[in-house]
Amino acid sequence: MRRKIPILCLLLLILFPVTSFAEDTKESQVITENEQRAGFTVQAVLPENQINDRISYYHLLVAPNHKQTVEVRIMNSSAEKSTYKVEVINAATNRNGLITYDEREKKPDESMQLPITKIAKPKSKEVTVDAFSEGKAEIDISVPSEAFNGIVLGGIRISLKSEDDKDDEKGMSVKNTYGYAIGMILTEKEDTPVYGETELKLTKLQPEIDYGSKVLEASIQNPNPEAMQKLVAEGKIVRKGQEKALAKNKLENVKIAPNSIFPFQIDWGMQEVTAGDYTFIGKVTGKNNKWSFKQDFTITREMARKMNKQTAFRIFVPNWWTTSFYLAGIITAAVTAWLVVRLIKRKKGREMHEE
């Protein structure tokens, strides 16, 4: 009998092989690259109208019709003459709850009346610096005549120009290059707070594929000219009329840029998305305020089919799985019955022998 137990275990392992799945790890984007690898560093030259001179980014007090030029030092620590791209980019909020200055192609939110790209522009889009030398990038600031409230936030991005950028001009693919971003805050009142907790709105729900994963994206809008920080965002997907969470997500220490959309995502995971009516239930909690959201949405058969087909991570159940399951059950039951019969016979045999 002892010899037959390992054989049974081996049979079950053959019928039910152990399968491992690799998880997709989404790394958050890093704006500032390692100095040694980049071969250069940058430094903001803070002007006289800098509100706080203890910080390393621009926080400028401006006025209607105000004009000025600010400088960014570029220190080339490499042994080669290098050319750097200079850009001004509106602040945005990514799906990880971070304020970024690298989404240059992203259209400003409809609540943003004055993007920083309309106020600040590079004097030259490229700057060349000799090896082991220092150069500068200049940003021209021209404030419109109409006054604005709150803050305008963006970033000055300095990145190393490479051969890939030439390919980009020809319509070819582009690889990431090393770069730095220096934040720029503009305000017309010195006591205007940078951070606040005035209002958040849920403007849209969109089931979609993002980086190969099936997600529900909830567009949470900050419609005011103030940034937000130290927020906790959480949400779940349930069948309409039910409470059990089919998928959920929670992010802590969330920051949201002024007048921007925070694309809060809930990953469906490995499960198949099925057509039907669902409800998104979410909330964002700050230090002083809390916002709750609840909205129904529908996934059509076509949407479900498309999401399940396009996902990078799919579970395929072989056709032989069900047959193997029943076969293993029959074998297990038969072996168990045989063992029981053997034990009963042995017990009766011992009793007769003792008599």
Side-chain angles (χ1 to χ4, degrees):
M1 177 59 197
R2 291 179 180 176
R3 294 180 179 178
K4 293 180 180 179
I5 292 177
I7 295 175
L8 177 60
C9 293
L10 178 61
L11 178 61
L12 292 176
L13 284 174
I14 293 173
L15 291 173
F16 298 94
V18 178
T19 307
S20 62
F21 297 91
E23 295 182 353
D24 179 30
T25 302
K26 299 178 180 178
E27 299 181 355
S28 60
Q29 297 176 340
V30 179
I31 297 174
T32 304
E33 302 290 347
N34 181 274
E35 175 186 350
Q36 185 176 1
R37 296 179 62 187
F40 75 101
T41 57
V42 299
Q43 181 184 18
V45 180
L46 303 181
E48 292 183 357
N49 58 327
Q50 174 80 9
I51 293 176
N52 184 356
D53 58 5
R54 296 188 300 273
I55 57 179
S56 59
Y57 55 88
Y58 299 101
H59 187 183
L60 307 181
L61 178 63
V62 297
N65 295 315
H66 175 85
K67 297 182 186 299
Q68 76 177 108
T69 299
V70 297
E71 296 181 359
V72 178
R73 289 197 186 99
I74 304 176
M75 285 75 76
N76 182 4
S77 57
S78 71
E80 297 180 356
K81 183 178 182 179
S82 300
T83 299
Y84 305 94
K85 294 170 58 179
V86 183
E87 303 170 277
V88 175
I89 303 174
N90 296 317
T93 309
N94 68 15
R95 65 182 183 277
N96 298 311
L98 299 173
I99 296 176
T100 65
Y101 308 110
D102 57 1
E103 299 187 36
R104 56 182 63 80
E105 302 299 331
K106 190 170 186 177
K107 184 179 179 181
D109 183 64
E110 59 183 15
S111 67
M112 184 180 291
Q113 298 181 356
L114 187 60
I116 200 168
T117 49
K118 289 188 176 181
I119 302 177
K121 300 180 184 296
K123 182 165 289 188
S124 176
K125 293 183 178 181
E126 293 184 2
V127 174
T128 300
V129 182
D130 291 331
F132 303 114
S133 299
E134 180 181 311
K136 67 179 180 180
E138 295 181 309
I139 307 297
D140 290 332
I141 297 174
S142 179
V143 181
S145 58
E146 186 176 350
F148 65 86
N149 296 319
I151 66 170
V152 177
L153 178 63
I156 302 169
R157 184 171 176 83
I158 313 292
S159 57
L160 180 65
K161 185 177 182 180
S162 66
E163 293 298 323
D164 296 313
D165 295 311
K166 297 179 181 179
D167 293 337
D168 182 38
E169 295 173 359
K170 299 176 183 178
M172 300 174 67
S173 61
V174 185
K175 295 181 180 179
N176 292 329
T177 56
Y178 297 122
Y180 295 89
I182 299 175
M184 175 177 281
I185 302 172
L186 304 179
T187 183
E188 293 188 350
K189 295 181 180 179
E190 189 170 353
D191 59 352
T192 298
V194 174
Y195 296 101
E197 292 184 3
T198 301
E199 184 181 14
L200 286 176
K201 297 179 180 180
L202 175 63
T203 60
K204 184 180 179 182
L205 289 177
Q206 181 64 47
E208 61 183 17
I209 295 291
D210 186 54
Y211 287 90
S213 297
K214 303 183 292 287
V215 302
L216 173 70
E217 183 169 294
S219 297
I220 299 176
Q221 181 196 51
N222 172 15
N224 293 288
E226 63 183 15
M228 293 187 173
Q229 66 173 346
K230 298 180 180 179
L231 304 175
V232 177
E234 49 193 318
K236 64 180 180 178
I237 301 170
V238 301
R239 285 279 185 182
K240 186 176 180 179
Q242 300 181 12
E243 292 295 328
K244 182 181 178 181
L246 301 175
K248 58 184 178 180
N249 188 22
K250 181 178 181 179
L251 293 176
E252 297 182 349
N253 200 25
V254 170
K255 292 184 177 182
I256 304 179
N259 301 106
S260 73
I261 294 292
F262 166 37
F264 178 69
Q265 294 185 345
I266 300 178
D267 195 327
W268 288 85
M270 304 298 293
Q271 62 183 309
E272 291 278 306
V273 176
T274 58
D277 295 325
Y278 298 87
T279 301
F280 165 75
I281 302 173
K283 66 178 179 180
V284 178
T285 306
K287 182 179 180 181
N288 301 310
N289 284 324
K290 181 171 72 173
W291 300 268
S292 298
F293 310 108
K294 186 174 183 179
Q295 184 172 316
D296 297 332
F297 65 98
T298 300
I299 295 181
T300 64
R301 290 184 179 180
E302 178 60 24
M303 291 169 61
R305 184 195 65 80
K306 185 177 180 180
M307 291 178 70
N308 293 325
K309 183 178 180 181
Q310 292 183 354
T311 183
F313 304 96
R314 302 171 64 189
I315 299 177
F316 295 93
V317 179
N319 294 329
W320 51 265
W321 182 267
T322 303
T323 304
S324 300
F325 178 81
Y326 287 116
L327 179 60
I330 294 171
I331 293 174
T332 303
V335 172
T336 302
W338 178 76
L339 290 174
V340 171
V341 172
R342 289 270 297 180
L343 289 173
I344 293 174
K345 287 184 177 181
R346 285 188 178 184
K347 185 177 180 180
K348 288 183 177 181
R350 285 197 298 268
E351 290 176 352
M352 292 177 63
H353 180 73
E354 290 175 356
E355 292 177 356

